[in-house]
Amino acid sequence: AKGSNSASPFLFRNIPCLNARELLQNTILSVQKQDYQNIEYIIQDGSSVDGTLNMIEEKTKFFNKSVMLFTEKDQGIYDAMNKAAAKATGDYILFLNAGDTFANCEVIKNVVWKIRQHSNGDVFFGDIILVEKGGKELRRKFSHICGNKLYFLSGDAICHQAIIARKICVQNYPFLLEYKVCADREWMLRLFAEKKKFVCIDTLICKCNMEGFSSSNQSLYEKEVKRCIKRYLAYGYPVYLLIEICKKNEKLRNCLRKLGRFFFWETGGKSI
């Protein structure tokens, strides 16, 4: 890969969006502020009609990064991600949704440095800050534990915004559109099945809104999670069901939350 031996790894960043004019402005500004220049920036628009395209052209007019804008109908967020990934020429791919922003101006520079330390990795993942309604921030830590497929038996998964993957891991393994809200989870489990190496880089990547697409489709989300577990971790399905039962008991759920916050959460994301 260009990134492992050269002086400047080439990262590709993609934003799928549809009628997200206001949200996307902050995301574009976040990219512009990155102090790493060798970024290929692809925006995949789903034929917006709210002035998004005019705003993008205006905001990127004097961009100091390579910018490509594509607008075409798609079958949803994962189809848009596939379309954008197919156009990427860089070595690594990072997906952020409209409204997500990089945590600070040195994110890409830090990610590049970490990737150089693990040249045999295929999928690299860090931390994100989840922003609740009202502005409260929580840092979601994805530790080395999350780089093991057994972690997915907890019913949890690494957020795709926290992942930087080799281009071939996305272009050769596109998201399956039969999954409407968990295609990213299925993609990760498929990569595990293909013996791809997941590497924790312990780096803060971005800020994400907690009121995302999956959170507004809870019933379908739960069905697709079960489907993923049965497909790739069938031997551990009873463990997954036991954890789900615990989540439905108030006392046990509170214990799991406390345990989860100890291992995977930090409050006060603004101070990090």
Side-chain angles (χ1 to χ4, degrees):
K2 192 174 181 181
S4 58
N5 298 313
S6 68
S8 54
F10 195 95
L11 281 95
F12 150 73
R13 185 188 180 287
N14 158 56
I15 300 176
C17 63
L18 173 63
N19 295 328
R21 185 177 184 276
E22 299 303 322
L23 291 173
L24 193 54
Q25 290 188 64
N26 291 331
T27 311
I28 291 174
L29 180 61
S30 170
V31 179
Q32 172 71 340
K33 288 182 176 180
Q34 288 301 296
D35 59 4
Y36 187 83
Q37 298 304 311
N38 203 7
I39 298 175
E40 180 182 40
Y41 181 44
I42 296 179
I43 302 175
Q44 185 72 35
D45 177 76
S47 297
S48 295
V49 293
D50 67 340
T52 295
L53 301 182
N54 290 336
M55 181 277 294
I56 292 173
E57 291 178 0
E58 179 64 28
K59 295 296 182 181
T60 60
K61 187 182 301 183
F62 303 106
F63 229 54
N64 60 357
K65 313 276 192 304
S66 171
V67 182
M68 289 184 283
L69 169 63
F70 299 93
T71 180
E72 56 185 308
K73 294 287 185 180
D74 57 58
Q75 299 177 51
I77 185 171
Y78 295 115
D79 187 32
M81 291 163 77
N82 283 340
K83 289 177 181 293
K87 302 177 180 87
T89 63
D91 296 314
Y92 299 92
I93 291 179
L94 166 64
F95 290 106
L96 292 185
N97 301 331
D100 297 337
T101 60
F102 282 118
N104 56 64
C105 64
E106 297 182 335
V107 169
I108 296 299
K109 181 176 69 176
N110 292 336
V111 166
V112 168
W113 186 84
K114 289 294 183 75
I115 287 177
R116 285 176 178 159
Q117 315 307 309
H118 303 278
S119 58
N120 62 335
D122 298 299
V123 178
F124 304 87
F125 60 93
D127 301 345
I128 62 174
I129 289 178
L130 293 175
V131 183
E132 294 182 334
K133 189 175 182 179
K136 181 180 178 181
E137 296 183 352
L138 296 172
R139 179 165 176 164
R140 181 61 167 88
K141 300 188 293 182
F142 291 105
S143 67
H144 294 276
I145 296 173
C146 305
N148 187 310
K149 67 179 181 179
L150 294 180
Y151 164 70
F152 288 71
L153 289 177
S154 68
D156 201 3
I158 306 170
C159 295
H160 71 254
Q161 295 98 325
I163 288 177
I164 303 93
R166 289 188 183 276
K167 178 176 64 176
I168 60 172
C169 289
V170 186
Q171 292 186 342
N172 292 359
Y173 304 91
F175 299 104
L176 301 184
L177 302 189
E178 62 194 77
Y179 290 86
K180 304 302 181 184
V181 295
C182 283
D184 47 354
R185 182 185 306 249
E186 188 281 334
W187 169 75
M188 285 179 253
L189 287 169
R190 194 167 5 125
L191 291 180
F192 276 117
E194 293 293 329
K195 309 299 182 185
K196 300 301 181 182
K197 185 174 181 179
F198 282 63
V199 178
C200 173
I201 56 175
D202 193 26
T203 298
L204 186 56
I205 306 295
C206 69
K207 292 186 178 184
C208 307
N209 192 320
M210 288 187 73
E211 298 183 90
F213 180 66
S214 294
S215 63
S216 62
N217 294 269
Q218 191 62 32
S219 178
L220 180 59
Y221 173 82
E222 291 175 358
K223 289 180 181 178
E224 291 193 357
V225 169
K226 288 182 180 180
R227 185 179 174 188
C228 287
I229 299 298
K230 287 181 179 179
R231 184 170 185 174
Y232 295 101
L233 294 164
Y235 56 86
Y237 189 64
V239 175
Y240 164 75
L241 289 179
L242 179 61
I243 294 175
E244 288 302 301
I245 290 173
C246 290
K247 289 178 181 178
K248 293 178 181 179
N249 179 284
E250 185 176 356
K251 291 184 178 179
L252 292 176
R253 183 172 63 249
N254 289 335
C255 288
L256 288 174
R257 283 178 176 173
K258 289 180 181 179
L259 186 64
R261 287 189 180 275
F262 179 78
F263 284 106
F264 302 118
W265 298 91
E266 289 180 11
T267 57
K270 293 180 180 179
S271 63
I272 297 173

